[in-house]
């Protein structure tokens, strides 16, 4: 689960038109002005909820993944979703709605262990999978450690 603030640079609200995700009828629109909670499930569902008390029970968007969602992290208009050994990055362009149709996917590792923790420090995303640690540079969108240390 991850809190995602509204775009502080946004001046207008533009509803999201998404074919990959399924908008829920009667739910508020997902725009640059939306404060949301992104929740992942073991069945591979990503559910985006509004933060307002009167609408919190409604789901704004649902996206299905092939594996369980183990971690979610927000950083500067980007949401990082860990699914097995992959990280999917959703972006929100300045003054715009989230682009849920075009996530950028990165393979972080090929092991059997899923990514089970993520932590953002400055412009780097630290990821743990099994007994290995990986560092992903969010500015360059590249994995920095090619041979991570094996932690005993």
């Amino acid at each position: 689960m991850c809190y995602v603030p509204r775009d502080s640079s946004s001046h207008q609200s533009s509803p999201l038109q998404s074919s990959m995700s399924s908008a829920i009828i009667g739910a508020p629109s997902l725009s640059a002005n939306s404060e949301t909670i992104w929740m992942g499930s073991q069945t591979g569902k990503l559910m985006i909820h509004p933060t307002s008390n009167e609408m919190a029970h409604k789901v704004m968007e649902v996206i299905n993944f092939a594996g369980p969602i183990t971690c979610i992290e927000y950083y500067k208009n980007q949401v990082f979703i860990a699914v097995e050994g992959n990280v999917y990055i959703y972006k929100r362009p300045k003054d715009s709605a989230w682009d849920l149709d075009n996530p950028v996917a990165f393979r972080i590792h090929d092991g059997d262990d899923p990514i089970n923790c993520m932590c953002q420090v400055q412009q780097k995303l630290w990821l743990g999978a099994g007994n290995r640690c990986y560092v992903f540079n969010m500015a360059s969108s590249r994995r920095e450690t090619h041979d991570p240390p094996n932690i005993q």
Side-chain angles (χ1 to χ4, degrees):
M1 180 180 340
C2 182
Y3 167 72
V4 177
R6 70 176 48 114
D7 182 358
S8 60
S9 65
S10 176
H11 302 291
Q12 62 184 4
S13 175
S14 57
L16 174 70
Q17 300 297 322
S18 174
S19 60
M20 180 179 148
S21 59
S22 57
I24 307 301
I25 297 173
S29 64
L30 185 58
S31 70
N33 288 329
S34 300
E35 287 183 330
T36 55
I37 300 290
W38 294 44
M39 299 174 66
S41 75
Q42 289 296 313
T43 59
K45 287 192 185 308
L46 174 67
M47 296 159 283
I48 303 173
H49 293 267
T51 59
S52 65
N53 286 339
E54 59 275 353
M55 299 298 282
H57 66 283
K58 296 198 182 241
V59 178
M60 297 167 76
E61 296 288 331
V62 175
I63 300 171
N64 293 302
F65 288 89
I69 297 169
T70 54
C71 300
I72 304 173
E73 187 75 26
Y74 169 81
Y75 177 74
K76 290 188 177 181
N77 289 323
Q78 299 177 89
V79 175
F80 299 83
I81 310 286
V83 179
E84 296 172 339
N86 300 305
V87 172
Y88 296 86
I89 304 171
Y90 289 94
K91 297 182 180 190
R92 176 174 53 194
K94 187 177 178 182
D95 293 328
S96 186
W98 285 97
D99 182 4
L100 299 180
D101 290 332
N102 301 300
V104 177
F106 290 96
R107 184 80 180 152
I108 300 297
H109 80 102
D110 292 321
D112 292 332
D113 296 315
I115 296 167
N116 56 17
C117 59
M118 289 192 297
C119 179
Q120 175 264 318
V121 179
Q122 296 174 351
Q123 291 189 349
K124 301 195 180 187
L125 188 66
W126 289 70
L127 305 106
N131 62 350
R132 296 203 177 250
C133 181
Y134 301 88
V135 179
F136 181 80
N137 186 317
M138 294 184 283
S140 67
S141 295
R142 292 174 46 186
R143 190 177 84 178
E144 289 191 344
T145 53
H146 300 284
D147 190 18
N150 191 356
I151 302 166
Q152 298 297 325

